[in-house]
């Protein structure tokens, strides 16, 4: 397992979302690789901070009793520890549901880049990053032919530190798009490419949930690049892509 692979699996691994084989591979890599180990520690520290700073959810009076009644109705009498576990699980589920409802209603608000960031995050889940995994533009470009009804310009920039990792089909705003995946050290960059009405539009960058989204149009295609690499790095790749 490479650092790039390990890096995008650390989050899902911490969330117990990996299958056993991937989890074992990630653990093995973390045990050997101090760089990725540090990454894991940073994610854990970040989550700890977030937990401390998020507003605490105090259930309204009576909620606990109502939930417990519901749980009791389903669960047959059990020894005490199991009941306590059920009670905690019910309360946590209620709190989590509330948190998700609040977060998603805030995010749906006024963030046009949200869809792009969502697509980026989806791609980082295990097994979702690439449908065709190759650093060879002559393999990736023809892969899209017949799968999507526009030509996808594909170039590798490994010589300047942005290796092509592969491509996949994706959907953004309900439209099929080509996604090209580049690496930058241990970070992943997604470039979404799709047809657009206005042929040319200069790049514009916004920040969304800690990710940088750069959008431009060129030759009848819209390019949307999303990544968490440093802004100068992202701008460098945008310039490389635009300098056809
Ligand atoms: Zn590593």
């Amino acid at each position: 397992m490479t650092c790039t692979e390990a890096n995008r699996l650390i989050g899902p691994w911490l969330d117990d979302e990996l299958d056993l084989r991937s989890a074992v591979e990630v653990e093995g890599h973390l045990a050997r690789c101090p760089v990725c180990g540090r990454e894991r520690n940073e994610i854990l520290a970040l989550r700890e901070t977030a937990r401390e700073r998020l507003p605490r959810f105090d259930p309204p009076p009576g909620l606990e009793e109502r939930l417990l009644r519901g749980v009791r109705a389903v669960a047959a009498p059990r020894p005490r520890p199991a009941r306590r576990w059920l009670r905690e699980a019910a309360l946590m589920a209620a709190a989590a549901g509330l948190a998700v409802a609040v977060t998603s209603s805030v995010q749906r608000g006024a963030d046009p880049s949200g869809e792009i960031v969502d697509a980026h995050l989806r791609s980082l889940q295990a097994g979702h990053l690439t449908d065709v995994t190759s650093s060879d533009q002559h393999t990736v470009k023809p892969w899209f032919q017949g799968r999507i009804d526009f030509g996808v310009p594909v170039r590798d920039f490994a010589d300047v530190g942005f290796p092509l990792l592969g491509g996949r089909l994706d959907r953004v705003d309900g439209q099929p798009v080509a996604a090209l995946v580049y690496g930058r050290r241990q970070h992943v960059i997604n470039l979404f490419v799709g047809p657009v009405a206005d042929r040319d539009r200069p790049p514009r960058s916004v920040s969304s949930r800690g990710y940088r989204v750069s959008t431009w149009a060129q030759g009848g295609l819209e390019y949307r690049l999303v990544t968490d690499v440093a802004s100068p790095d992202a701008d460098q790749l945008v310039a490389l892509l635009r300098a056809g």
Side-chain angles (χ1 to χ4, degrees), residues 3 6 29 33 35-36:
C3 286
H29 183 91
C33 174
V35 178
C36 292

Side-chain angles (χ1 to χ4, degrees), residues 44-111:
L44 282 174
L46 195 71
R47 289 182 177 195
E48 196 52 45
T49 313
R51 233 195 314 275
E52 279 165 17
R53 295 200 184 153
L54 281 175
R56 227 176 80 84
F57 169 64
D58 288 314
L63 175 64
E64 184 179 357
E65 187 47 43
R66 281 203 301 281
L67 285 168
L68 273 175
R69 220 177 301 138
V71 169
R72 273 195 213 108
V74 188
R78 290 267 179 87
R80 275 196 89 227
R83 240 190 0 242
R84 194 183 312 137
W85 180 85
L86 275 175
R87 181 179 120 160
E88 277 172 17
L91 283 173
M92 275 165 65
L98 193 79
V100 167
V102 170
T103 321
S104 47
S105 68
V106 169
Q107 282 166 2
R108 299 272 172 273
D111 185 2

Side-chain angles (χ1 to χ4, degrees), residues 66-162:
R66 281 203 301 281
L67 285 168
L68 273 175
R69 220 177 301 138
V71 169
R72 273 195 213 108
V74 188
R78 290 267 179 87
R80 275 196 89 227
R83 240 190 0 242
R84 194 183 312 137
W85 180 85
L86 275 175
R87 181 179 120 160
E88 277 172 17
L91 283 173
M92 275 165 65
L98 193 79
V100 167
V102 170
T103 321
S104 47
S105 68
V106 169
Q107 282 166 2
R108 299 272 172 273
D111 185 2
S113 310
E115 275 264 349
I116 305 288
V117 174
D118 284 345
H120 178 68
L121 293 174
R122 264 198 317 274
S123 79
L124 300 182
Q125 288 167 13
H128 285 68
L129 192 60
T130 50
D131 293 332
V132 52
T133 307
S134 171
S135 58
D136 183 358
Q137 60 209 49
H138 303 296
T139 302
V140 177
K141 186 177 166 63
W143 183 87
F144 283 108
Q145 281 163 15
R147 290 185 167 88
I148 207 154
D149 57 3
F150 54 90
V152 185
V154 181
R155 279 179 298 157
D156 175 35
F157 300 104
D159 53 342
V160 278
F162 296 99

